[in-house]
Amino acid sequence: MGDTMTTGVDSERPGAGASGGSGAFGGGARVPRGDFGAREDSDACGDFGAREDVEGVGDFEVFRDDWGIPHLRAADALALARAQGHVTALDRAWQLETERHRLLGTSASVLGAEAVDWDRFVRRARLADTARRCFDRLAPETAAWVGAYVDGVNDGLAEGASRAPEFAAVDGAPGRWEPWTPLGVWLSTHILFAGFPTKLWREEVAHRLGEDRMTLFATDGPGTAGSNGWLLSGERTASGAPLLAGDPHRFIEAPGVYQQIRLACPAYDVVGLAVPGVPGIAHFGHSGGVAWAITNAMADYQDLYREQLRRTPDGGVEALGPDGWYRAHAHTETIEVAGAEPETVEVIETDRGPVIIGGPDADASAEGPRAISLRHPPRVTDELGFDALPALLQARTVDDLDTALDRWVEPVNVVLAADTAGGTLHRVAGHVPVRPYANRLRVVPAEDPAYAWREGEAAPQPRTGTVGPGGIAVMANERGLAAPLGVEFAPPHRARRIRELLGGRTDWSPAAMSAVHTDTLLASSRPLLSLLAWAPGLGPAAERLRDRLLRWDRHMDADSTDATLYSRLRTDVVHRLAGHPALKGVTGADDPWRSAAHPALFRPWLAAVPRIGYALESLLTVGLLPYEDRLAVVAASAEAVAAAAEETPPGPWGELHRLSPWQALPDLVPDGSDAEAIRPGLAGDHDCVLSTSGVPGVTDLFARGPAARYVWDLARREDSRWVVPFGASGVPGSAHHRDQTPLWVRGELAPVVTDWNLLNRTPPHRTPPHRTSHHPEETPAMTAAPEPVAPALRPAVHEQKIEGFGTVRLVPVDPAADAGLLHGWVTEERARFWGMADHTREQVREIYEFVDSLPTHHAYLALRDGVPAALFQTYEPDADPVGACYDVQPGDFGVHLLIAPAEGEGAVKGYTDALLTAFIAHVFSDPAHLRVVVEPDARNEKAIARMVRIGFELGPEIRKPEKTARLAFLTRAALGLA
């Protein structure tokens, strides 16, 4: 049966080295070869063949890789946009419906009273009206492109809704999308992105603690940033071409806020991360010729105005402006609330913008301003920047990309890009209005002309065409390129640490980037630990705590109990500072979040304890408290935490630091009793590169973290990698609902597949002859191929937890579903002893269909924590050609093993031995199996040496048609099982 064990027997982790990395006891199944035809390898759109265009839109094709990620191919850009909308509706119907309700301010009609605060804000801010106005200003070709996407959504919603159990749970059906709906989704997703509620907090601080304390808690880091991005020039990479990598850190939602996708037509072929509900690939993409990525620039471009309003005799509203009183727009809307009475909201808009807080009837004696309006660029200019989206897809060079980004509006981003010709780009993109600096800091008076925007002007967008010193460029929300445009930025720790890590070598590869993505050094711990070092008068237990934390390596690793102890100390310090008289005006009963002056929606920005927690590094450094007071606070905390630790020793950080994602509805199809499925424990902290942000002083759970990870390779796009927290599908119970979670937790990435021949094609789709005019719930369901069952969801024939390694499960190979995965493994050079290097994907599928048909031969995927790690095959020697080459004994049982390619960098000691432990346990769990037989290629000295080390007894060499093999046998007695 096939070849030999080609495992990297001497490597710590398979995949390191020319001869190491795959591993096999033997090779693939043998069937008569025949002529299966030549395989076509292609990374382009390929030949679409004859197509009938329908109403200028045409047909499209949907392919999926083994992670269920959609790869779309169409005859033109409009058909491709329709395809993107259609497949998004199939995969994310409930998510799309949730987003539609959010932008319309109708979430409460489905989710109940808890959503009323959001609905009231969205309606008062007039987001839907802004989206309509921005759509009307689009270039005609962009409007047609967005409209095609919306048609695809409406075409697919009925079928998508039939798959999603959430609709049945709320007894609802999806609503129709309008042409402007994607613009509304973009607006509602990013309206709070620039953090304008922070200006409310600064106003409270100035009022309660004094004007000189307004930015006390800014600390160059509001604690809401965490995204990373970095660009390496060819001088620092193994390939000699640039690498672009990073991870956007946002609030984690389930389903995820990013959608892995490929969009291909004759005009372009782009892989990247799309926003569900929005056409194209806006933030992170790779077109083959150029790749780009963004982080939040931390720019300030949204202003709050303190309005003076009054009611007119006829019930209208007047506002005071620079030229006196004038009539403001006003109307009322009704918010439907599931399970409760409807609520009425008055929508008012002044010349500055929509009033989002208060109104003309607010209590004049109440604390805080009577009315506040919001002014932001899309509402003022009717431009949202959507004309940039199709231009990004068509970009071939950084110059093309740079030109496209000149049309970008919001959110304001820092962009890194590189192309295959060696060009690089580092710039800010977005609209920042020109106005006084005070507008950035606080709420300003509406009637004072000094605070008006300079009409028609925008601040220059800083840029540079160079990578930076040493061939490294980093963007991590820090005060850098975008410094002239903002107020608060992230602390410099993440940016410095990334530069430090990248500067340590010049042979970076996509696989190696995991070491940067998952770095856990917490540099911001220094001030607290420095005070702890000098804390006076500590008792014995507190001294032991001090000694322990001063020896700690400051890495917030998941298995670290020291990290947990540090978190306990930090939490106690935060609460002691909150109780200090110096902060009394904003804490306790005076905490601004308790005030009724502001809507409940903004309370997270107004809570003092989180603000203290995020600003702790600064508060322990600057002169808010005398040095002696800071020492006393830390000493008291050390005593309290040490005493608690004596009674309850700290557990591993990852047991406390768990993901707490936002979901519109709780899980409807459980993934089993294991909480790891939706709330896994992770390493990291808010100032680590692995920025998994809890709320210091409040909770160790985190809702912010890497919403995706990516590595774009400019040498070979097919070597790029990506991962999301959950999976490609938003449908609970789907094979691809959460199949990427184990990778994401470990910091590993899935391959970006670009060869169409390695993808699974779904039945072709033909667009209807006209745009739909009926409601989506009336759309006839389309026929779709059943979704294959992911390996992680298949019943296991053997399951074993191996300490320090993970859980190994053996599941049967599904030839059709696994053909692409297996083809990728067996055709690598490292798997040459497997004997299938020249096989096509179809040949591999047919071979394993043949194996599946035999009662004496079986093929299994070995999963490590749900992720395919190896191919394991068994056979009965007397039913295999090898049986003619030696004297088969009763109880002989043959096996072959092929280790999967390495995922990510970093050795895992004993990787192959751990797998062998599970395989041998499975074989000998059947008492009829007395001896394991392997037949490695006689030239594979590493495989043979490993066999001897683990207890196999070497047999004779045998000659087979395809090779000379060396028999080896492992008996029960050799393992002490006799």
Side-chain angles (χ1 to χ4, degrees), residues 258-468:
Y258 284 115
Q259 172 192 32
Q260 299 153 296
I261 201 165
R262 182 185 187 182
L263 305 175
C265 66
Y268 49 80
D269 181 347
V270 183
V271 297
L273 301 170
V275 174
V278 178
I281 295 171
H283 286 159
F284 310 94
H286 193 332
S287 72
V290 63
W292 68 94
I294 63 95
T295 58
N296 185 356
M298 309 299 289
D300 185 276
Y301 51 90
Q302 300 168 324
D303 285 354
L304 296 180
Y305 286 88
R306 185 181 300 105
E307 298 280 359
Q308 295 190 47
L309 306 177
R310 68 186 183 189
R311 184 74 66 186
T312 62
D314 62 358
V317 177
E318 289 184 339
L320 181 62
D323 299 322
W325 290 94
Y326 64 95
R327 189 154 184 118
H329 170 91
H331 71 272
T332 60
E333 297 181 9
T334 299
I335 301 174
E336 299 293 336
V337 184
E341 293 297 316
E343 297 195 17
T344 300
V345 58
E346 185 174 27
V347 178
I348 301 171
E349 185 165 13
T350 72
D351 288 350
R352 265 68 56 195
V355 174
I356 60 170
I357 298 174
D361 305 321
D363 184 358
S365 64
E367 181 183 9
R370 293 183 62 184
I372 292 177
S373 63
L374 170 66
R375 187 172 181 84
H376 61 120
R379 189 65 187 167
V380 175
T381 66
D382 295 340
E383 294 282 355
L384 192 54
F386 264 46
D387 285 321
L389 298 183
L392 289 174
L393 295 176
Q394 298 171 42
R396 293 291 177 270
T397 66
V398 292
D399 289 339
D400 296 339
L401 197 79
D402 195 19
T403 300
L405 289 170
D406 286 339
R407 310 179 208 177
W408 192 269
V409 175
E410 78 164 44
V412 180
N413 295 320
V414 176
V415 183
L416 283 173
D419 61 31
T420 53
T424 59
L425 178 67
H426 188 188
R427 66 165 288 178
V428 175
H431 184 113
V432 179
V434 178
R435 77 279 201 216
Y437 185 77
N439 292 43
R440 300 186 192 178
L441 287 174
R442 62 191 308 175
V443 183
V444 294
E447 70 276 10
D448 191 336
Y451 300 103
W453 289 11
R454 287 165 59 175
E455 187 174 353
E457 293 190 40
Q461 301 175 19
R463 72 183 68 210
T464 175
T466 59
V467 170

